[in-house]
Amino acid sequence: MVSMVQNQDVQQKDLDHAVVVAVTSRALFESETEEDDGPAYRGGVAFPLLQALQRVNEHLLEKDPTESLLFDVVLMTTDRQQQQQSSGFMSSTRHHGLEVSRFCFSSEEDFVESLLKNNIHVFVTTDENEAFQANQKGVLSLLLDENSASCPSEQLRVLFCENSIIRPGSGPTSSSREAAQTFSSQLGKMRQKLETSHSPLCFTLVTLHGGKDRCCGALKALRSVGVSVDEAYCLAGAPRSPILSLLRPHFLLSDGCSGSED
């Protein structure tokens, strides 16, 4: 059983052009704890991400009030107990000023179907099993952890690891990699509409192995899908944890780049 409720407090996005991001309620709120200054749940690890998405939308609309290429956020709840707290999630988004367009209530068995039905471009969760299930069905899924809570809220940071880049002519790709390519292209179009300096949307490339030629190849692959990066780092086999701690990306697009050492 799946139900979708529109948030009447925010203006609905044009779904033909918006980039739809679904975030689980467990990632966005700590539903067992309330704010000290009111009956609202405290922000969880995805809280800075939603604030950063909102900053991008604000800047795009400042440039063009008719802009339709915007982030559209769906809050998804699959936990039966949390679904009984639906009014709490709705009032909490209002309390924190978060622009969540819709609230989706789904069973654990049907959540992937609801992602596909609602044309979700990227699914954000703290549950590794949920991320795996969604990726298996072709929905780009990103896993957040406790480090995500320290990400900046004023700038959306996207990190591309070399393994995530789909090179032209590289042969068949899985549906999840095709979804990553589509998402990257959409982000690139957004970036082109924003100012070049002090942008609320920042792209970084990290190559894990090889030298400058490998890095240049990765840059060209990104440009082929409309993405021009702000910074590029060639680790040449060096540990990856220090650079990830420094960059603190919200979205880490990768087939294997993580905070762990090789």
Side-chain angles (χ1 to χ4, degrees):
M1 182 68 180
V2 178
S3 63
M4 184 75 75
V5 179
Q6 283 192 350
N7 186 355
Q8 302 300 322
D9 294 333
V10 303
Q11 184 173 353
Q12 297 297 304
K13 309 295 189 298
D14 182 348
L15 295 183
D16 290 332
H17 300 96
V19 179
V20 187
V21 180
V23 183
T24 62
S25 56
R26 288 190 298 271
L28 184 57
F29 293 122
E30 297 178 5
S31 59
E32 301 302 321
T33 59
E34 294 185 347
E35 291 283 358
D36 296 332
D37 59 347
Y41 300 132
R42 291 179 182 173
V45 295
F47 201 81
L49 167 63
L50 260 68
Q51 291 179 314
L53 294 176
Q54 215 159 297
R55 295 293 91 76
V56 174
N57 282 355
E58 290 170 358
H59 280 254
L60 287 168
L61 291 171
E62 284 177 6
K63 289 278 186 180
D64 181 2
T66 65
E67 181 61 64
S68 58
L69 182 61
L70 301 167
F71 288 112
D72 183 65
V73 178
V74 176
L75 186 63
M76 173 166 286
T77 304
T78 58
D79 185 278
R80 286 189 174 89
Q81 183 177 355
Q82 287 192 341
Q83 287 180 7
Q84 298 174 3
Q85 302 167 308
S86 59
S87 60
F89 291 129
M90 294 178 184
S91 62
S92 294
T93 59
R94 187 184 309 114
H95 173 84
H96 291 291
L98 298 176
E99 288 195 356
V100 174
S101 295
R102 288 163 290 161
F103 301 91
C104 179
F105 303 97
S106 168
S107 66
E108 293 181 358
E109 297 77 18
D110 296 331
F111 88 93
V112 175
E113 178 187 342
S114 66
L115 293 175
L116 295 169
K117 182 179 179 181
N118 289 282
N119 298 316
I120 302 299
H121 293 103
V122 58
F123 172 58
V124 180
T125 180
T126 54
D127 188 303
E128 188 173 355
N129 184 54
E130 286 182 345
F132 176 78
Q133 290 183 59
N135 270 320
Q136 288 294 100
K137 294 295 184 179
V139 180
L140 175 62
S141 303
L142 301 176
L143 193 64
L144 301 186
D145 58 24
E146 63 275 5
N147 295 319
S148 303
S150 65
C151 290
S153 59
E154 294 299 319
Q155 184 184 58
L156 181 65
R157 298 181 180 180
V158 182
L159 189 150
F160 298 92
C161 275
E162 180 186 14
N163 291 347
S164 71
I165 300 166
I166 305 170
R167 291 177 172 78
S170 60
T173 60
S174 68
S175 54
S176 61
R177 292 196 63 157
E178 291 172 354
Q181 184 179 28
T182 299
F183 181 59
S184 299
S185 179
Q186 291 171 314
L187 293 177
K189 291 176 182 178
M190 281 186 171
R191 184 66 175 84
Q192 292 170 13
K193 295 173 181 284
L194 294 163
E195 56 270 22
T196 55
S197 61
H198 305 292
S199 174
L201 180 55
C202 176
F203 298 146
T204 303
L205 167 68
V206 171
T207 56
L208 304 180
H209 305 284
K212 66 177 183 179
D213 289 342
R214 191 159 181 170
C215 186
C216 288
L219 287 170
K220 290 178 181 178
L222 280 172
R223 289 182 186 138
S224 72
V225 294
V227 175
S228 296
V229 303
D230 300 278
E231 299 177 324
Y233 298 89
C234 176
L235 298 188
R240 62 193 75 166
S241 295
I243 193 66
L244 291 178
S245 299
L246 175 66
L247 296 174
R248 294 184 297 158
H250 300 89
F251 289 142
L252 198 163
L253 300 180
S254 168
D255 284 346
C257 183
S258 68
S260 61
E261 305 294 344
D262 287 325

